[in-house]
Amino acid sequence: MAQNLRAIKAEGRIVLELENGGAKTKDLPDLPLQDGDSIFVPRKPGTVEVLGSVFQSNSFIYKPNRTVNDYILLAGGASQTAETSDTYVIHADGTASNKVHGWFASLGGARVQPGDTIVVPESLDHSSWRQSLKEWTAIFYQFGLGAAGLKVLKD
């Protein structure tokens, strides 16, 4: 399976890693093109999308001074099952970030650019040790009933 994944060639979007949304044609890197290649330059987006474990996933109009936390609050905030420490931003250029560097920095205070998508993932660990204990107890109980039933049938 892993070998199959390694053999897959990337197709589609190429991340150009431009400095900012105001880049000009002269700022584009030299890309070798092949016959059949095409370049599509989308219009400049005017929204920011918030997805995942929030109360109302939606697209919001971009405002220059809003942060990641501001947009999450516009979406009703993170739900109780959200894993807010794993929140990440997919930037309009295709790159993604989940950390802001610096002392006392967090992604929540990071500025957002137009076209970015903020993803608040769902926590994968919903069960407690008590819930796990109940499940295992039920399994052993059913196993014991099955063993007792077989003994009765055998005798």
Side-chain angles (χ1 to χ4, degrees):
M1 178 70 156
Q3 288 177 336
N4 293 344
L5 291 174
R6 286 188 194 109
I8 295 174
K9 299 289 182 201
E11 293 183 20
R13 178 184 272 185
I14 296 176
V15 177
L16 298 177
E17 298 182 61
L18 300 173
E19 287 300 315
N20 60 40
K24 306 283 185 222
T25 306
K26 64 179 176 68
D27 300 326
L28 292 173
D30 249 348
L31 290 174
L33 298 177
Q34 298 176 359
D35 190 27
D37 286 350
S38 62
I39 297 175
F40 171 73
V41 180
R43 64 175 175 74
K44 186 173 181 178
T47 59
V48 172
E49 200 163 346
V50 182
L51 302 173
S53 194
V54 292
F55 286 101
Q56 182 61 47
S57 293
N58 225 328
S59 291
F60 300 96
I61 295 174
Y62 170 75
K63 298 274 173 102
N65 296 325
R66 286 186 180 157
T67 63
V68 169
N69 279 343
D70 293 334
Y71 283 104
I72 291 173
L73 288 174
L74 284 172
S79 69
Q80 290 179 333
T81 59
E83 189 62 56
T84 55
S85 63
D86 289 337
T87 297
Y88 60 97
V89 177
I90 302 171
H91 301 288
D93 68 358
T95 59
S97 63
N98 65 348
K99 300 272 187 273
V100 175
H101 303 290
W103 292 60
F104 307 111
S106 73
L107 185 63
R111 295 274 182 241
V112 179
Q113 297 299 317
D116 287 356
T117 300
I118 300 165
V119 182
V120 182
E122 184 91 14
S123 175
L124 296 178
D125 186 26
H126 292 297
S127 65
S128 65
W129 69 271
R130 193 178 310 171
Q131 180 65 30
S132 296
L133 182 63
K134 281 174 47 178
E135 290 169 1
W136 279 105
T137 302
I139 290 169
F140 287 132
Y141 173 75
Q142 290 171 356
F143 181 72
L145 282 179
L150 285 174
K151 182 164 178 29
V152 168
L153 289 174
K154 189 176 182 182
D155 290 339

